[in-house]
Amino acid sequence: MNSPKFKKTSKFLSYILRHHPESIGLEVDRQGWAHLPSLVEKANNSGRSVSEDIIQKIIAQSDKQRFRLSDDGNYIRAGYGHSIDVDLDLDPIRPPDVLYHGTAKKNLDSILAKGLHPGSRNLVHLSANISDAMEVGSRHGRPYLLTIASLKMYNAGHPFYQSDSEPNIWLVESVPPPFIEK
Ligand code: HQG
């Protein structure tokens, strides 16, 4: 499944659906949905060889579920990671006791002082398991694992959202320092 073509197409879809739909002239609605046949057509018009078939395979076979299809199969959206202004319309739900955030060691002092903030994305991303968090952290440098007292934070009034494509990914507006355990 992790063929170079799959990875390349998956990264391209993330780029388009999370960050730059306008780069291929694609319309994404307020909830982040794009018309699947239009995406394929516009991607091909911009010189990318992308088919519905490969997109279906990426969704069916990826370990990490980055995308979601609408019930009728005509629309696709990214399940998390956006920087474009979308409202995924997720219901807030009660998180587990703890969640994890993988970052780079170089960010530690700033995070402990200011809390976790989304940076260029709309929301802060947390992982339900340590191995995923470590993998995320290692993309930024020497990985460092933070444990987030998620249930305590939720009980203090902070809404939590679970991605509807990838249930191991949780989303919050920010994480104030008192809920971060290093
Ligand atoms: C850091 C991937 C200094 C934060 C992953 C992170 C994820 C601070 C970086 C998803 C800070 C932002 C998102 C502060 C936060 N001071 N640094 N106060 N607050 N940071 O890429 O969470 O594989 O925007 O620790 O799986 O790394 O692409 O977020 O290091 O779920 O599908 O600022 O993207 O998914 O980095 O990754 P990012 P992320 P995919």
Side-chain angles (χ1 to χ4, degrees):
M1 143 65 220
N2 277 328
S3 74
K5 167 82 176 164
F6 263 67
K7 270 200 170 165
K8 211 172 150 197
T9 307
S10 181
K11 277 189 186 291
F12 171 72
L13 291 176
S14 290
Y15 175 80
I16 296 297
L17 294 171
R18 293 174 179 176
H19 309 300
H20 289 293
E22 81 292 346
S23 68
I24 58 165
L26 182 70
E27 254 180 58
V28 165
D29 77 8
R30 181 76 191 130
Q31 278 73 45
W33 294 104
H35 186 232
L36 183 57
S38 303
L39 189 164
V40 169
E41 187 192 325
K42 285 171 189 292
N44 282 286
N45 287 347
S46 75
R48 290 276 179 162
S49 120
V50 175
S51 62
E52 281 197 33
D53 188 52
I54 194 164
I55 295 176
Q56 300 282 2
K57 282 196 181 125
I58 287 168
I59 291 174
Q61 296 172 18
S62 295
D63 292 341
K64 204 168 171 184
Q65 289 294 315
R66 296 182 169 88
F67 314 104
R68 184 184 171 91
L69 289 177
S70 59
D71 292 343
D72 64 9
N74 290 330
Y75 291 83
I76 183 170
R77 77 175 182 185
Y80 61 94
H82 299 83
S83 61
I84 52 170
D85 184 22
V86 290
D87 175 3
L88 296 179
D89 215 9
L90 301 171
D91 293 326
I93 66 164
R94 185 181 194 265
D97 259 4
V98 294
L99 287 167
Y100 303 96
H101 179 84
T103 189
K105 197 156 190 307
K106 61 178 187 280
N107 297 333
L108 190 59
D109 289 348
S110 163
I111 291 173
L112 293 176
K114 298 182 204 154
L116 280 170
H117 293 280
S120 61
R121 300 184 202 263
N122 299 342
L123 295 163
V124 169
H125 291 60
L126 304 175
S127 306
N129 61 68
I130 292 175
S131 58
D132 285 357
M134 288 302 281
E135 208 177 309
V136 176
S138 66
R139 296 180 323 155
H140 296 288
R142 197 166 136 213
Y144 194 92
L145 181 76
L146 297 168
T147 302
I148 309 303
S150 39
L151 188 55
K152 212 164 121 192
M153 189 174 144
Y154 171 80
N155 286 335
H158 300 270
F160 278 72
Y161 305 93
Q162 189 174 24
S163 166
D164 66 358
S165 66
E166 175 47 74
N168 284 318
I169 293 189
W170 289 75
L171 304 162
V172 288
E173 300 265 335
S174 65
V175 181
F179 302 106
I180 302 173
E181 293 158 23
K182 55 170 183 150

